[in-house]
Amino acid sequence: MADAVSLRFPDGSERDYAAAATGAEIAGGISKSLLKKAVAYALDGELRDLADPVGRSGAIEIVLRDDKRALELIRHDAAHVMAEAVQELWPGTQVTIGPVIENGFYYDFARDTPFTPDDLPVIEKKMAEIIRRNAPFAKTVWSRDKAREVFAAKGENYKVELIDAIPAEQDLKIYSQGEWFDLCRGPHMASTGQIGDAFKLLKVAGAYWRGDSNNPMLTRIYGTAWATQDELKAYLHMLEEAEKRDHRRLGREMDLYHFQDDAPGTVFWHPKGWALYQTLVSYVRRRQEAEGYQEVNAPQLLERSLWETSGHWEKYHENMFVTETEDERVFALKPMNCPGHVQIFKHGLKSYRDLPLKLAELGMVHRYEPSGALHGLMRVRAFTQDDAHVFCTEAQIAAESLKINELILSIYRDFGFDHVLVKLSTRPDQRVGSDEMWDRAEASMREVLTIIEQEGGGQVTTGIAEGEGAFYGPKYEYTLRDAIGRQWQVGTNQVDFNLPGRFGAFYIDRDSEKKTPVMLHRAMLGSVERFIGILLENCAGHLPLWLSPVQVVVATITSDADDYAMEVAHLLKKAGLKVETDLRNEKINYKVREHSVAKIPVMLVCGKREAEERTVNIRRLGSRDQTSATLDAALAALVDEAVPPDLRRIRQDDAAAA
C-alpha cells in the first residue's frame, strides 16, 4: 500500500491504511453504525475533523457524541450556529471571536444597537432552525489575500484585523456550514445536527474588542450547551442555586460588607462581617499554632531591590502597586509574603536543629487586578493570605508535606467540605534548578500523593497536572467541591528550591557546612476574603453557630416580655454568645421573616407566657418547626453548640484522658 500508515486502536489491534484515509472512512470501514455515531477522531490524543486524512501512524480513537471530549465540540459548533443565527436575523452585524469557555461558549458582536436579553429567545429559535437543517461542516484553506478580500467585502473589519494578526506561516482555515462561514482553527463535528437541542443562551454583556478599554465596545452573548437535556437542566438548576447563594447578595442581606469605587477591589467590612472575619482568623491561628507555626508580620512596603532579587519585579511587576518617595526610592506594596519571611529566617544564625522552621503570617497583600476582573470577595485587589513558609531540608519535604496535608484536610472538614481534589503540578518548561533536583522532588511528592489518597478516607481524590508547577518547584493544589458541585481551588503547598538561595539564606548542617534550605509555601484558606465568599455560597448564608457573627436574636411577642427578653440576652452574652434583641412593636411573623433574610441561626421568642414560666420558644433558620425549652436548658445547649470544632476536639480528648 502506497504511503501506508499504521494505526493502533483502543483494543490494541493495529491496521494499515493509506495516509490519505480520513477519519470518516476509517470509522465507516469498521461499521456504518459507528460512522453514524462518530463526531470526530483523535490521533495520539489530538482531536481532528472526521474529514481530515490521518497522514501519519499513531494511536487512533473514533470519538462519539457521548464522549467527554465531544462536549467541547458541541459548544464550539453551537457558537458558530449562534453567530450564523445572529447574522441571519440582523444582517450587517459583524462577528468577531467566539471561543469555548468553561461550561459553555460566547461570541462577541459589533452592532450599532447592542443586543438585549429580549433578543435571546429569538436567537435560540433561529439556532434550532439551523441545527435542524443539519448542514455539514466543511473546512477549506484560503490564502491570506483571499481571506482579507472576502471578509473586507462583507464589511467584517474585525475579521480582517484578526487575519492580519495571524502569523504568516499559519494556514487560514475557513469552516462553513451551508452558506455561512467563519475563520476558525477547528475542529468541528460532522454537521450542525449533531449539536442537538440541549443548549441555552444565558445573558448579554459588554466587552471591549481584544479586552482593551481603548477599543470599541462590543456585545457579548453567552450560552451553554450539553450532550443531553438532563445535563442542561442540571446545569441551569445549578445556576439558579448559584444566584440564590451569590455571596454579594448575601453580604447585603446579612449586612457584612460593601465595596465602592473609592477603593476598587477592597472590602469595607461592617461590624458583623468583621466579627465573622475575626472568628475565622482566630480559628486559623489556633490550628496552626497547635502545629508548631510561629506567627510573624513582615512590612507592607518593601524596596524595589528586594523584589528584583526575589524575581517578582520581572515576573509580576504589572500586578504590583508601586510608589516613589521624595528621595527617589521606589517601593512596592507586597503582593505576597514570602520575601519578607526569608528576611526573618535570615535574621540570626540557623542550625539544622532549628529545621523545620514554620513561619506563618495572616498578611494583607495587594495585587492589581483589571477592573473588569473584580468580583465581590472572589476577586479583589487587597486580601489577607493565611500564608506560611516551612524552611526545611530536602529530606524533610515528604514528612512536612504530609503534615500540611493533614492540617488542610482537617480544616476543610471543619467547614463542611467533604470532598477535596489534590493535584500534583509537575515541572514546567521554564524552570530553575537541575533536572536531578526536580526528579528527586517529584518522586518524593508522587509518593506522598499516593499516601494522601490512601489515607483520605473517601474524602480525597488525586490527580497529576503535568507541566503546571511553579518555575521554582512542584506543588500540590487543593480544590474544594461545594454544595452545588462547583469547584474552588483554595489551598496550596509549593516546594521552592529557588527563593532562599536568591537571598543567600542558609543554615549550618551536621558537618558545619552552609546549606540552602528548601522553602514550602503553604496556604490553607488561600485568601481569607475569598474563603468567606466560598463559605457563604456553600451554605447559602446558613453559617454554623460557632462562626455566625450574630448567633442569637431574642425577640418579643408583646412588650410585657421586654424585661424578660433583656434578661435572656444578658445571660446569653455573659455565657459568651453573640446576641441581639428585637423589642420592636412589630408582629412576630414580621420579625421572623426579617431575621431569616439576615440568616440569623437561632431566634429565641419570648412572650408573656414564656416570661412567667422562664422558658423560650426556639426557632431555627430554615426550619418551620418550633421547640420550647427552659431558659437554663436552652442556654446550655446553645453554649455547647457554639464551641468551635477544634476546641470541641480538645475538650473531647481531655475528657477521654480523664
Side-chain angles (χ1 to χ4, degrees):
M1 183 185 299
D3 297 323
V5 296
S6 177
L7 299 179
R8 185 173 65 259
F9 290 85
D11 63 0
S13 63
E14 294 191 23
R15 293 180 61 183
D16 291 338
Y17 290 89
T22 65
E25 291 169 345
I26 293 168
I30 296 171
S31 73
K32 292 182 179 179
S33 63
L34 179 63
L35 177 59
K36 189 174 181 181
K37 296 176 183 177
V39 296
Y41 78 96
L43 187 65
D44 293 331
E46 175 196 358
L47 279 180
R48 294 180 168 194
D49 298 325
L50 280 174
D52 284 346
V54 289
R56 60 179 174 80
S57 299
I60 190 171
E61 299 171 83
I62 305 300
V63 177
L64 307 185
R65 192 175 180 278
D66 59 2
D67 190 301
K68 289 182 179 179
R69 292 170 293 183
L71 190 55
E72 183 172 341
L73 299 179
I74 292 171
R75 291 168 178 165
H76 190 180
D77 292 5
H80 276 235
V81 166
M82 178 177 73
E84 180 182 0
V86 165
Q87 291 196 314
E88 277 195 26
L89 291 165
W90 294 279
T93 301
Q94 292 188 63
V95 174
T96 63
I97 58 171
V100 172
I101 57 175
E102 184 179 11
N103 297 321
F105 58 89
Y106 71 78
Y107 240 112
D108 288 345
F109 299 97
R111 182 173 175 242
D112 292 338
T113 304
F115 294 103
T116 71
D118 293 337
D119 296 321
L120 300 187
V122 180
I123 300 171
E124 285 180 357
K125 184 177 179 181
K126 177 60 71 172
M127 288 175 67
E129 177 187 322
I130 294 170
I131 289 170
R132 285 194 297 271
R133 295 175 195 164
N134 199 26
F137 284 101
K139 178 176 64 178
T140 54
V141 177
W142 288 4
S143 69
R144 189 174 302 271
D145 289 343
K146 178 181 178 180
R148 290 188 91 266
E149 181 182 341
V150 170
F151 282 105
K154 291 179 64 181
E156 295 276 12
N157 299 322
Y158 291 95
K159 289 294 179 186
V160 173
E161 186 175 333
L162 287 173
I163 291 166
D164 289 340
I166 295 174
E169 67 275 8
Q170 288 188 16
D171 292 333
L172 298 183
K173 299 176 184 176
I174 304 296
Y175 277 86
S176 62
Q177 54 212 51
E179 297 298 317
W180 190 87
F181 58 86
D182 196 10
L183 179 72
C184 181
R185 288 194 299 265
H188 285 271
M189 296 187 292
S191 67
T192 61
Q194 292 179 323
I195 296 170
D197 60 356
F199 67 90
K200 180 75 176 173
L201 300 186
L202 301 174
K203 62 179 180 179
V204 296
Y208 292 110
W209 170 236
R210 293 184 175 274
D212 187 338
S213 59
N214 296 315
N215 289 336
M217 175 69 77
L218 308 174
T219 301
R220 178 171 295 177
I221 300 180
Y222 287 94
T224 189
W226 298 82
T228 66
Q229 277 289 338
D230 286 344
E231 290 174 317
L232 174 63
K233 289 177 182 176
Y235 179 68
L236 294 178
H237 175 69
M238 187 274 286
L239 290 183
E240 291 175 7
E241 279 294 310
E243 186 175 354
K244 294 176 188 175
R245 296 164 179 262
D246 191 320
H247 72 282
R248 295 167 297 180
R249 172 182 173 181
L250 291 169
R252 291 191 300 271
E253 294 173 348
M254 298 170 71
D255 191 23
L256 300 178
Y257 59 85
H258 79 273
F259 292 88
Q260 63 189 61
D261 288 341
D262 303 89
T266 306
V267 188
F268 287 79
W269 289 105
H270 299 187
K272 293 175 184 177
W274 193 241
L276 168 59
Y277 177 100
Q278 291 296 340
T279 301
L280 184 60
V281 164
S282 296
Y283 166 86
V284 170
R285 282 196 165 108
R286 290 195 304 270
R287 294 305 310 273
Q288 60 188 18
E289 183 179 350
E291 295 299 321
Y293 288 85
Q294 302 175 68
E295 188 168 344
V296 298
N297 187 266
Q300 284 284 318
L301 276 173
L302 291 168
E303 194 176 40
R304 169 178 175 168
S305 60
L306 185 143
W307 299 110
E308 289 175 333
T309 300
S310 71
H312 291 102
W313 192 265
E314 177 186 356
K315 298 179 180 297
Y316 210 75
H317 178 226
E318 293 180 354
N319 299 96
M320 297 170 73
F321 289 94
V322 179
T323 183
E324 184 173 351
T325 57
E326 289 187 3
D327 58 358
E328 299 184 350
R329 294 181 70 185
V330 177
F331 295 85
L333 280 170
K334 63 178 180 180
M336 57 275 298
N337 298 302
C338 31
H341 289 192
V342 179
Q343 308 313 306
I344 294 172
F345 177 88
K346 286 176 61 181
H347 194 78
L349 192 62
K350 300 296 187 297
S351 160
Y352 70 93
R353 295 186 182 90
D354 298 314
L355 306 185
L357 180 65
K358 305 176 182 182
L359 302 181
E361 178 175 4
L362 286 147
M364 174 69 76
V365 297
H366 292 78
R367 300 178 183 179
Y368 177 75
E369 298 281 358
S371 298
L374 300 177
H375 179 74
L377 297 176
M378 304 303 196
R379 196 77 176 267
V380 292
R381 288 178 175 172
F383 59 94
T384 302
Q385 282 187 315
D386 66 328
D387 215 356
H389 295 94
V390 179
F391 295 88
C392 63
T393 68
E394 189 174 331
Q396 292 171 330
I397 292 174
E400 291 307 310
S401 293
L402 282 171
K403 290 176 184 177
I404 289 171
N405 174 75
E406 185 178 346
L407 177 60
I408 288 177
L409 294 183
S410 171
I411 286 173
Y412 296 162
R413 285 192 295 268
D414 281 350
F415 290 106
F417 294 103
D418 57 6
H419 186 272
V420 182
L421 169 63
V422 184
K423 288 197 298 185
L424 169 59
S425 299
T426 60
R427 71 191 76 184
D429 292 335
Q430 299 295 323
R431 58 184 183 271
V432 297
S434 66
D435 287 343
E436 291 79 11
M437 180 187 71
W438 278 87
D439 290 341
R440 293 194 304 271
E442 288 179 355
S444 176
M445 294 183 77
R446 286 178 189 272
E447 291 178 7
V448 170
L449 192 68
T450 301
I451 297 172
I452 288 173
E453 184 166 30
Q454 290 171 347
E455 297 182 351
Q459 181 196 12
V460 177
T461 56
T462 60
I464 303 289
E466 297 289 354
E468 295 185 16
F471 74 93
Y472 48 72
K475 62 180 179 178
Y476 297 114
E477 289 187 342
Y478 290 78
T479 300
L480 305 178
R481 187 174 66 198
D482 71 10
I484 56 175
R486 296 172 301 180
Q487 292 191 330
W488 305 93
Q489 196 276 309
V490 180
T492 185
N493 175 21
Q494 304 178 10
V495 179
D496 188 346
F497 296 101
N498 176 61
L499 197 63
R502 278 178 173 261
F503 284 108
F506 66 89
Y507 66 94
I508 304 300
D509 70 4
R510 293 177 183 272
D511 300 322
S512 300
E513 298 290 334
K514 290 183 179 181
K515 288 285 183 66
T516 303
V518 178
M519 186 177 184
L520 305 183
H521 301 249
R522 183 233 69 187
M524 300 179 294
L525 308 185
S527 157
V528 174
E529 287 77 1
R530 181 170 176 266
F531 193 79
I532 288 174
I534 294 169
L535 268 180
L536 290 171
E537 296 198 1
N538 182 60
C539 63
H542 294 214
L543 294 167
L545 195 66
W546 73 272
L547 198 54
S548 297
V550 178
Q551 296 168 320
V552 183
V553 165
V554 182
T556 54
I557 299 174
T558 65
S559 59
D560 294 341
D562 284 0
D563 290 343
Y564 177 61
M566 293 296 290
E567 180 188 356
V568 171
H570 173 72
L571 291 172
L572 291 169
K573 290 177 182 178
K574 190 176 179 181
L577 293 167
K578 301 166 189 171
V579 185
E580 291 184 351
T581 56
D582 188 347
L583 310 182
R584 293 174 300 168
N585 185 24
E586 299 283 358
K587 292 183 179 180
I588 191 61
N589 286 340
Y590 175 84
K591 295 180 181 181
V592 169
R593 283 195 300 272
E594 188 174 274
H595 295 302
S596 294
V597 169
K599 304 297 184 289
I600 305 300
V602 177
M603 283 188 67
L604 299 184
V605 179
C606 303
K608 184 176 180 181
R609 179 179 175 182
E610 283 79 14
E612 291 171 350
E613 298 178 353
R614 294 192 65 77
T615 60
V616 289
N617 190 284
I618 305 170
R619 298 179 183 231
R620 294 276 182 170
L621 178 64
S623 173
R624 295 180 179 273
D625 297 334
Q626 306 172 38
T627 59
S628 182
T630 66
L631 175 56
D632 289 344
L635 178 60
L638 290 171
V639 168
D640 180 68
E641 184 181 343
V643 175
D646 59 312
L647 298 182
R648 183 178 300 281
R649 283 192 295 271
I650 292 173
R651 290 185 182 185
Q652 291 169 345
D653 291 343
D654 290 346

